[in-house]
Amino acid sequence: MIAFMNNSDSEEEPCNERTSLMSAESPPVPSYQDGLPASEAGEAQAHRKRRAGSSRGPNNIAGGEMSGSGVPVRESILENEEEELTLKYGAKHVIMLFVPVTLCMIVVVATIKSVRFYTEKNGQLIYTPFSEDTPSVGQRLLNSVLNTIVMISVIIVMTVFLVLLYKYRCYKFIHGWLILSSLMLLFLFTYIYLGEVLKTYNVAMDYPTLFIVIWNFGAVGMICIHWKGPLQLQQAYLIMISALMALVFIKYLPEWSAWVILGAISIYDLMAVLCPKGPLRMLVETAQERNEPIFPALIYSSAMMWTVGMAKPDTAARGASQQTWDAAEDGREQLRSPAHAESQMSDTRGPVPTRPVTLEELEEEERGVKLGLGDFIFYSVLVGKAAATASGDWNTTLACFVAILIGLCLTLLLLAVFKKALPALPISITFGLIFYFSTDNLVRPFMDTLASHQLYI
Amino acid sequence: MPVLVTSGQVCRHSTAVRPIWAPPAPHRYQSGTGAGWRVGTAGHSCQCQSQHSGGSGIAPVPASSVSYRAFFWLVSLLLSSLIWFIAVKASDPQDERLQKGLLIFGVMFSVLLQEAFRFLYYKLLRKAIEGLVALSEDGCSPISIQQMAYVAGVGFGLMSGAFSMINLLADALGPGTVGIHGDSQLYFLTSAFMTMVLIFLHTFWGILFFHGCEHRRWWEIAAVVIMHLTVSGLSFCNPMYVGSLVPSYLLMAAAAAWAYLLSGGSAQNLRRFLLCLRSGASPQPGS
């Protein structure tokens, strides 16, 4: 899911996610809010991992807020600026998302190509109960379709369960789920990964060192993800977690099932985000009604908010804090509400907005875009599978990589145009699948023949 | 863009460090296109340097445009591979001459298709730039067609080079001996040089092609297509590398000079540039 995010437009109201969600509806009178971020504040929150989009609140460009400025601004100029801004931001967001998606894919591909553990078949997840070891093609296809049905049903059930939990305000439950899953991901999966990497490179490590390393990595990760931390460290942890999750999927999903699941997940994503009764859409609407952040967990956010203040030392003491929350763990259906983490953050931000608005205080914010971690995971699964199974060919991996990035560009373009929550999976995965199968079967023989004769096109 | 914000404003430079400012003198806020200025009346607005907003305006566009370009090249490659594949499957695999002929046909068709996609990309970019110009306040587009031509060429070249080289590089890691079966021992070297010349050529061809399209000089476009066909055809001389590498580099030098002239360079500029370098003096503005 991709969402535009803008934090804290005003200082009169308590500045937290609620505010950033609120500011679209109730801008403070004397201050002029940029229509674009104010209305985009509505989508500040993350939904599900896979959702992409930004929902816009009412547009408050309309001149009611000119009182703060003496410059008469015509609405047409504002609209033009807004569109310009949208395009410019669209372009900038593309870059802000290119880098983490690329990094995640690089980590996954590097691991796949070097660590053989992740390409060995060692059983399957319980979510894909049917085996693909059957001799006939038809049976294999049938089994993969059945696996897909099982997996998607599990995802749907968990999503609906989460929506219900959220609707009935079982925040503690969701939060506990969140903590448990990130614990497992940060400690157990990292331990396995580290073990396999050490085995591959034949490096010896004793258990005390291992314990210290894993403990530090996991503890810092938990703090960064659930509480506060430097922006880039948070982003790095989210990327690592997505890569770990993608590697687990690559290892445990059987071949054909993986491809069918990828296709089915993008269709599900499309429906869940865009249909009026889709669970994700209901989630967004519920959160908007309550003016709460919608599951900031499992979202990679490229924006940050900082406060520059001279008058208040406490505000100056606040570092760049960003809401990135915990990431996926086993099964994308686990959504968590960061509500408790949020309230902590909002409390710490409490002192900030209640200070009087002074001219000396400038608040700088950067509009960012959020992409669900599930999107990271499934992009990386596609590219990793291409790297693992494309008969040792790098052209296929490269083609899938380019296809996914182009899909991401197009999705961000659509986001800039439609300005509402959009699913990030369908376009990229479709392009990725098309390019995988066509490059593997059509381009590879051509390029191999050219290379053997050393011809250049 | 926010004209004035008393409470919050958007400053679009990304930094990793939190700055703490003293109350600044009235800043100017520059809009994204780098064309207009908005002055904050209450005395503070965010000062975004022109290079910031201009840079952030310009830089992301080519970066994503490189990937669009790569995508277009990929699609052209895909289509040409499809044609070749169908042709090969429909023909007798034992007939050597036929296979060779089909390969030649495949290469030529691929070249033509690449140029066709370059033209399509030009059309797309034109529309995009017109859209951006229409949106901006003063009719200036944030990025010129020459820059886009350069980026388009680079994107094409990078993708073509990556596809040519990456499997070779992967194989170069593994254990093996080059040319053990009697092939040329210079395979990796010459492949590297050939790829390099192709990447450069694509860059220059991008500039030439777009210039030709802009100014409706069809002979420039035809020249690019013919050059591309020539270079691809010359690669059929491999492993007689003299026949393929040397003319390709000569063609590259010619294309480089032509593109340089078309982009506004001249012998005088070049001389001044070299003189400045030699004397170590900083160049005068405007030179």
Side-chain angles (χ1 to χ4, degrees):
Chain A
M1 189 198 75
I2 297 183
F4 281 116
M5 177 187 90
N6 185 38
N7 292 333
S8 77
D9 293 317
S10 75
E11 279 139 9
E12 278 78 36
E13 316 163 49
C15 194
N16 51 12
E17 283 65 29
R18 295 157 209 265
T19 312
S20 49
L21 201 48
M22 277 297 307
S23 60
E25 282 79 31
S26 56
V29 170
S31 72
Y32 170 77
Q33 309 259 340
D34 186 37
L36 200 59
S39 39
E40 278 177 348
E43 68 271 346
Q45 315 319 324
H47 313 248
R48 276 209 47 174
K49 309 189 276 186
R50 292 189 313 286
R51 288 239 331 238
S54 62
S55 47
R56 283 189 80 120
N59 191 334
N60 5 1
I61 288 187
E65 300 152 84
M66 292 304 119
S67 48
S69 80
V71 177
V73 180
R74 287 168 288 128
E75 275 210 21
S76 58
I77 284 189
L78 284 172
E79 280 167 15
N80 271 350
E81 287 173 351
E82 180 185 327
E83 295 208 31
E84 223 176 79
L85 177 65
T86 311
L87 281 179
K88 243 186 62 66
Y89 268 91
K92 194 163 186 201
H93 293 151
V94 165
I95 300 306
M96 289 206 285
L97 283 185
F98 260 25
V99 174
V101 171
T102 310
L103 276 178
C104 191
M105 289 200 256
I106 285 178
V107 169
V108 169
V109 170
T111 310
I112 291 279
K113 289 284 187 187
S114 52
V115 178
R116 293 206 326 157
F117 171 74
Y118 286 103
T119 42
E120 291 163 5
K121 291 292 308 168
N122 257 347
Q124 297 180 199
L125 295 171
I126 55 164
Y127 303 115
T128 52
F130 297 92
S131 156
E132 279 192 13
D133 277 334
T134 55
S136 79
V137 170
Q139 183 71 20
R140 189 172 184 185
L141 196 60
L142 181 68
N143 281 354
S144 56
V145 171
L146 290 174
N147 279 338
T148 309
I149 292 176
V150 170
M151 184 103 176
I152 301 284
S153 324
V154 168
I155 289 177
I156 293 179
V157 162
M158 298 300 249
T159 313
V160 169
F161 181 49
L162 186 79
V163 172
L164 287 176
L165 281 179
Y166 189 67
K167 257 183 148 44
Y168 293 114
R169 301 178 190 266
C170 308
Y171 295 137
K172 281 204 188 300
F173 189 96
I174 297 176
H175 194 56
W177 196 0
L178 174 88
I179 299 264
L180 269 181
S181 51
S182 56
L183 267 177
M184 185 180 76
L185 204 64
L186 278 172
F187 287 99
L188 179 65
F189 286 173
T190 310
Y191 168 70
I192 294 175
Y193 180 77
L194 193 59
E196 292 306 321
V197 168
L198 290 176
K199 266 190 233 172
T200 305
Y201 291 106
N202 210 13
V203 173
M205 187 185 263
D206 53 311
Y207 274 112
T209 312
L210 187 72
F211 173 72
I212 292 175
V213 166
I214 301 262
W215 170 252
N216 279 307
F217 180 82
V220 174
M222 291 295 287
I223 292 175
C224 273
I225 291 170
H226 289 276
W227 193 46
K228 294 185 200 176
L231 172 69
Q232 272 154 344
L233 200 58
Q234 284 171 333
Q235 292 174 334
Y237 267 106
L238 289 174
I239 292 175
M240 278 192 272
I241 280 177
S242 311
L244 282 175
M245 213 39 228
L247 285 169
V248 166
F249 274 136
I250 294 173
K251 179 170 173 62
Y252 287 111
L253 284 179
E255 303 260 343
W256 291 18
S257 305
W259 299 113
V260 185
I261 284 176
L262 277 172
I265 272 267
S266 27
I267 298 177
Y268 166 70
D269 200 23
L270 197 65
M271 293 192 339
V273 173
L274 296 180
C275 287
K277 278 301 176 187
L280 300 181
R281 190 160 168 160
M282 279 172 37
L283 206 62
V284 177
E285 286 163 4
T286 315
Q288 276 184 341
E289 279 166 32
R290 297 185 195 168
N291 294 317
E292 275 172 7
I294 312 171
F295 296 133
L298 307 179
I299 292 288
Y300 176 95
S301 172
S302 50
M304 56 195 149
M305 189 198 71
W306 350 321
T307 306
V308 179
M310 289 79 51
K312 300 279 178 170
D314 57 345
T315 62
R318 280 206 305 116
S321 74
Q322 179 195 358
Q323 290 94 41
T324 51
W325 292 271
D326 182 48
E329 33 68 331
D330 199 82
R332 322 162 42 232
E333 55 281 349
Q334 321 242 356
L335 307 174
R336 300 148 202 142
S337 163
H340 280 257
E342 285 312 311
S343 46
Q344 287 166 22
M345 275 193 224
S346 57
D347 290 340
T348 54
R349 285 213 205 135
V352 175
T354 52
R355 64 177 186 257
V357 177
T358 58
L359 288 186
E360 295 87 272
E361 285 181 8
L362 300 173
E363 190 156 293
E364 295 182 9
E365 31 188 80
E366 174 136 350
R367 213 168 296 138
V369 62
K370 292 188 174 190
L371 182 64
L373 284 186
D375 298 326
F376 276 86
I377 291 174
F378 280 96
Y379 293 159
S380 308
V381 166
L382 192 141
V383 174
K385 270 284 185 207
T389 63
S391 27
D393 190 45
W394 282 87
N395 285 345
T396 315
T397 313
L398 202 58
C400 290
F401 170 72
V402 170
I404 286 181
L405 287 186
I406 289 297
L408 194 61
C409 275
L410 287 177
T411 311
L412 284 172
L413 206 68
L414 286 179
L415 186 67
V417 167
F418 286 113
K419 301 187 178 65
K420 55 190 272 261
L422 287 181
L425 279 185
I427 302 182
S428 290
I429 298 284
T430 312
F431 278 165
L433 287 176
I434 292 176
F435 272 84
Y436 171 75
F437 287 111
S438 52
T439 311
D440 203 29
N441 297 319
L442 297 175
V443 175
R444 192 175 42 88
F446 186 47
M447 294 301 283
D448 282 347
T449 318
L450 289 182
S452 64
H453 290 100
Q454 215 171 4
L455 299 175
Y456 285 86
I457 52 167
Chain B
M1 290 329 305
V3 174
L4 163 73
V5 195
T6 53
S7 53
Q9 45 196 335
V10 177
C11 188
R12 272 168 293 136
H13 44 267
S14 64
T15 59
V17 178
R18 247 186 65 253
I20 301 196
W21 298 15
H27 294 254
R28 290 173 183 265
Y29 176 81
Q30 183 172 17
S31 70
T33 59
W37 290 84
R38 304 272 179 277
V39 180
T41 56
H44 63 273
S45 43
C46 181
Q47 177 175 26
C48 291
Q49 322 290 337
S50 64
Q51 61 265 26
H52 266 304
S53 30
S56 65
I58 289 186
V61 178
S64 55
S65 136
V66 167
S67 53
Y68 282 121
R69 197 71 188 101
F71 179 71
F72 271 70
W73 187 85
L74 260 186
V75 174
S76 78
L77 180 65
L78 201 71
L79 290 175
S80 49
S81 318
L82 179 68
I83 305 286
W84 176 82
F85 189 78
I86 293 174
V88 163
K89 286 297 177 198
S91 69
D92 177 19
Q94 304 302 327
D95 191 350
E96 288 288 334
R97 287 192 51 107
L98 182 61
Q99 295 300 318
K100 183 94 182 179
L102 278 180
L103 197 59
I104 297 176
F105 163 72
V107 167
M108 296 302 151
F109 186 73
S110 176
V111 166
L112 291 174
L113 212 56
Q114 283 180 38
E115 297 303 325
F117 270 80
R118 209 198 289 267
F119 183 69
L120 271 178
Y121 190 65
Y122 165 76
K123 281 275 180 236
L124 194 72
L125 272 184
R126 256 270 51 100
K127 281 209 164 37
I129 288 189
E130 277 162 19
L132 282 177
V133 165
L135 283 179
S136 75
E137 298 101 30
D138 61 351
C140 284
S141 89
I143 185 163
S144 70
I145 192 79
Q146 285 99 339
Q147 283 169 317
M148 288 310 257
Y150 170 70
V151 168
V154 167
F156 228 43
L158 280 180
M159 202 55 194
S160 152
F163 257 68
S164 312
M165 272 311 276
I166 199 162
N167 275 332
L168 283 180
L169 286 175
D171 286 338
L173 280 178
T177 308
V178 186
I180 196 169
H181 286 297
D183 303 309
S184 163
Q185 291 190 335
L186 297 173
Y187 186 82
F188 283 146
L189 261 184
T190 50
S191 297
F193 278 117
M194 197 68 197
T195 310
M196 184 175 83
V197 80
L198 258 187
I199 296 179
F200 276 134
L201 275 173
H202 271 299
T203 313
F204 300 136
W205 286 336
I207 300 176
L208 295 174
F209 196 91
F210 277 45
H211 186 263
C213 288
E214 279 285 301
H215 300 265
R216 302 272 182 269
R217 292 199 206 157
W218 306 116
W219 57 276
E220 279 182 7
I221 301 176
V224 167
V225 176
I226 291 178
M227 265 199 274
H228 198 167
L229 283 171
T230 314
V231 171
S232 284
L234 282 174
S235 67
F236 279 93
C237 291
N238 290 332
M240 231 180 25
Y241 297 119
V242 177
S244 67
L245 275 181
V246 173
S248 304
Y249 272 88
L250 290 175
L251 269 178
M252 183 193 87
W258 194 3
Y260 181 66
L261 288 172
L262 282 183
S263 311
S266 66
Q268 210 173 13
N269 283 351
L270 198 59
R271 194 158 18 104
R272 248 187 261 154
F273 170 71
L274 291 172
L275 281 178
C276 281
L277 275 189
R278 220 183 306 145
S279 71
S282 55
Q284 301 295 328
S287 69

